[in-house]
Amino acid sequence: MTDLSQNPCIICVAITGSLPTKENNPAVPITVAEQIESTHEAFEAGATIAHCHVRDDEGKPTSDPERFARLKEGLEKHCPGMIVQLSTGGRSGAGRTRGGMLPLSPDMASLSVGSNNFPTRVYENPPDLVDWLAAEMLTHGVKPEIEAFDLSHILQAAKMHRDGRIKDRPYVQFVMGVKNAMPADREVFDYYIHTVKRLFGADTPWCAAGIGADQITLNDWAISSGGHART
Amino acid sequence: MTDLSQNPCIICVAITGSLPTKENNPAVPITVAEQIESTHEAFEAGATIAHCHVRDDEGKPTSDPERFARLKEGLEKHCPGMIVQLSTGGRSGAGRTRGGMLPLSPDMASLSVGSNNFPTRVYENPPDLVDWLAAEMLTHGVKPEIEAFDLSHILQAAKMHRDGRIKDRPYVQFVMGVKNAMPADREVFDYYIHTVKRLFGADTPWCAAGIGADQITLNDWAISSGGHART
Ligand SMILES: [Zn+2]
Ligand SMILES: [Zn+2]
Ligand SMILES: [Zn+2]
Ligand SMILES: [Zn+2]
């Protein structure tokens, strides 16, 4: 697996995401075959990490380990060397089903370490679920990507690293632009970077993702500030 | 009601709080009579705001409007001029029962505008409940104290102020030291102050509360940085 701190330009491509459906965008890859095809294009264009969600036969988000297994296998075959990151996010399931694919030992998996509001509901990551997901990642040798929807999530990752719940120096993704969570605010963005450097060292890699209309903004900010971008 | 920005030293006394019981501390005032007695002492000692929780007959946290009414009435009689702030916090009830006392039109009420983790669970403040509580405060002329358990809560208060859901410039309390939420971190504390000044103006009053062992630390930080303390 690529060393994130050595690579000067990591592009993380989010395959499918958790929200769009064929109805609002017919180009969204839904089947595993479509996902592999579209990721392969991004891989050829230079993407380093594939952040993966999967869908069921009706196109709805799911955490089905069998789907994830087929996607992971396909990506390993068609995009050799690409980092496969599976989502344990809460839009695709509830409770421990969110981590049911971790025994596949992907290179990475997303990990939320706190709770926050989403546009119409609470994004629930209760402490016992966070600890269970982190423990599963330790067991199966999966590197977490910390999804920081707010500042305390970075400090919580630091605490989990200090007490051994997270093995390596945390790799944090700043998520901005989710309604009712953290907006895309340049000052806060800079303070996030400052906080990551303060807590984990000046050379710590990080990445950023803007939601919806803020995606382009966050890519600009991340690339011009030495971070990795998600497209 | 005292103008918070004019008073050089506001002390906010938390009556009873939501957690302690007679079993872990026999000195905790539980009945309304005990609460008025103990607040009166704090008032004579200079406390300006009474942040109030109430208990039921078994000593458990409740949002019972009738209890709140008796406490408010007693405080107004015994501590004239003291600002009465009623808690709409989630430890004392669920959903809209948390705001059932707002028709009493207290001077202030606490308002959480986001969700976060607590030591063993999610502190749930879903967007529709936040909006309903804020609307009730507008209707009944209640000034909210924004409970900022994380940085995004300050930005969310700013957004709610911009679009009219919060009438006056928000009065923010920084809450630190809750396990699995924001720890007592001096750098973050200073950034909270910076953010309040940036969003609401350099002369904006604010206050801070440390939980458990962090209470003394936060009081020190708040008083030495020009904020109001909660004791
Ligand atoms: Zn990423
Ligand atoms: Zn995702
Ligand atoms: Zn206060
Ligand atoms: Zn309270």
Side-chain angles (χ1 to χ4, degrees):
Chain A
M1 172 179 154
T2 311
D3 180 344
L4 296 171
S5 63
Q6 296 308 308
N7 197 314
C9 181
I10 288 180
I11 303 289
C12 173
V13 57
I15 312 182
T16 307
S18 59
L19 282 180
T21 63
K22 282 273 187 206
E23 273 142 58
N24 38 60
N25 181 358
V28 168
I30 295 291
T31 69
V32 167
E34 287 169 336
Q35 288 183 311
I36 292 167
E37 174 69 26
S38 114
T39 310
H40 184 73
E41 282 166 33
F43 178 66
E44 304 241 289
T48 321
I49 301 179
H51 173 82
C52 308
H53 292 252
V54 290
R55 302 302 180 92
D56 66 16
D57 288 334
E58 274 97 60
K60 294 209 191 71
T62 173
S63 290
D64 180 12
E66 196 272 325
R67 291 261 166 168
F68 271 120
R70 279 196 287 136
L71 177 57
K72 177 174 176 282
E73 196 181 35
L75 290 177
E76 282 163 358
K77 187 184 284 174
H78 293 277
C79 311
M82 195 173 200
I83 297 170
V84 175
Q85 180 189 107
L86 305 185
S87 171
T88 67
R91 284 192 173 103
S92 321
R96 295 190 176 187
T97 62
R98 286 167 48 181
M101 81 298 281
L102 294 171
L104 299 171
S105 292
D107 300 311
M108 298 184 76
S110 60
L111 177 65
S112 287
V113 297
S115 299
N116 52 273
N117 277 357
F118 267 178
T120 60
R121 65 179 181 92
V122 180
Y123 180 37
E124 294 186 50
N125 295 288
D128 55 350
L129 177 63
V130 172
D131 285 347
W132 181 81
L133 287 168
E136 281 289 289
M137 292 187 199
L138 281 180
T139 301
H140 300 290
V142 182
K143 182 177 175 65
E145 174 180 273
I146 308 301
E147 305 300 315
F149 287 88
D150 212 332
L151 178 60
S152 79
H153 302 178
I154 304 177
L155 284 92
Q156 180 72 7
K159 189 179 174 211
M160 293 177 72
H161 180 47
R162 279 198 306 275
D163 64 25
R165 282 175 285 171
I166 293 174
K167 193 171 145 224
D168 300 320
R169 175 170 71 174
Y171 179 66
V172 178
Q173 164 150 286
F174 313 142
V175 187
M176 296 187 132
V178 176
K179 189 183 170 196
N180 296 322
M182 185 62 82
D185 181 288
R186 181 62 205 239
E187 266 231 23
V188 170
F189 179 82
D190 290 338
Y191 190 72
Y192 276 174
I193 300 173
H194 170 82
T195 302
V196 160
K197 289 176 192 275
R198 168 167 76 98
L199 297 174
F200 308 125
D203 61 338
T204 308
W206 52 269
C207 69
I211 304 304
D214 292 316
Q215 183 179 326
I216 296 165
T217 308
L218 266 287
N219 283 351
D220 276 355
W221 293 355
I223 290 164
S224 64
S225 305
H228 307 144
R230 177 185 287 182
T231 60
Chain B
M1 174 181 151
T2 311
D3 180 346
L4 296 171
S5 63
Q6 297 308 309
N7 196 312
C9 180
I10 288 181
I11 303 289
C12 174
V13 57
I15 313 182
T16 309
S18 60
L19 283 178
T21 62
K22 283 273 187 204
E23 272 143 58
N24 40 60
N25 180 359
V28 168
I30 295 292
T31 68
V32 167
E34 288 170 337
Q35 288 184 310
I36 292 168
E37 173 68 26
S38 111
T39 310
H40 184 74
E41 282 166 35
F43 178 64
E44 304 242 289
T48 318
I49 301 179
H51 173 81
C52 308
H53 291 254
V54 290
R55 301 304 180 89
D56 66 16
D57 289 334
E58 274 98 60
K60 295 207 191 71
T62 173
S63 291
D64 181 12
E66 196 273 323
R67 292 264 167 169
F68 271 119
R70 280 195 286 134
L71 177 57
K72 176 174 177 282
E73 196 181 32
L75 291 176
E76 282 162 358
K77 188 183 286 174
H78 293 279
C79 311
M82 195 172 198
I83 296 170
V84 176
Q85 179 189 109
L86 306 185
S87 171
T88 67
R91 284 190 172 107
S92 320
R96 295 190 176 188
T97 63
R98 286 167 48 180
M101 82 300 280
L102 294 170
L104 298 171
S105 292
D107 300 311
M108 298 184 75
S110 60
L111 177 65
S112 288
V113 298
S115 300
N116 52 273
N117 276 356
F118 267 178
T120 60
R121 65 179 179 92
V122 179
Y123 180 37
E124 294 186 50
N125 295 288
D128 55 351
L129 178 62
V130 171
D131 285 346
W132 181 80
L133 288 168
E136 280 288 288
M137 293 188 200
L138 281 180
T139 300
H140 300 290
V142 182
K143 184 179 172 63
E145 174 180 275
I146 307 301
E147 306 298 316
F149 287 89
D150 213 332
L151 178 61
S152 78
H153 302 179
I154 303 177
L155 285 93
Q156 179 72 6
K159 190 179 173 212
M160 294 176 72
H161 179 46
R162 279 197 306 274
D163 63 25
R165 282 176 286 170
I166 293 174
K167 193 174 143 221
D168 301 319
R169 175 171 71 172
Y171 179 65
V172 178
Q173 164 151 286
F174 314 143
V175 186
M176 296 188 130
V178 176
K179 189 182 170 196
N180 295 323
M182 185 62 82
D185 181 287
R186 181 62 205 238
E187 266 230 24
V188 170
F189 179 83
D190 290 337
Y191 190 72
Y192 277 174
I193 299 174
H194 170 83
T195 302
V196 161
K197 288 174 192 276
R198 167 167 77 98
L199 297 174
F200 308 124
D203 61 337
T204 309
W206 53 269
C207 69
I211 303 305
D214 292 316
Q215 184 179 326
I216 295 165
T217 308
L218 266 288
N219 283 351
D220 276 356
W221 293 354
I223 290 164
S224 64
S225 305
H228 306 145
R230 178 184 286 181
T231 60

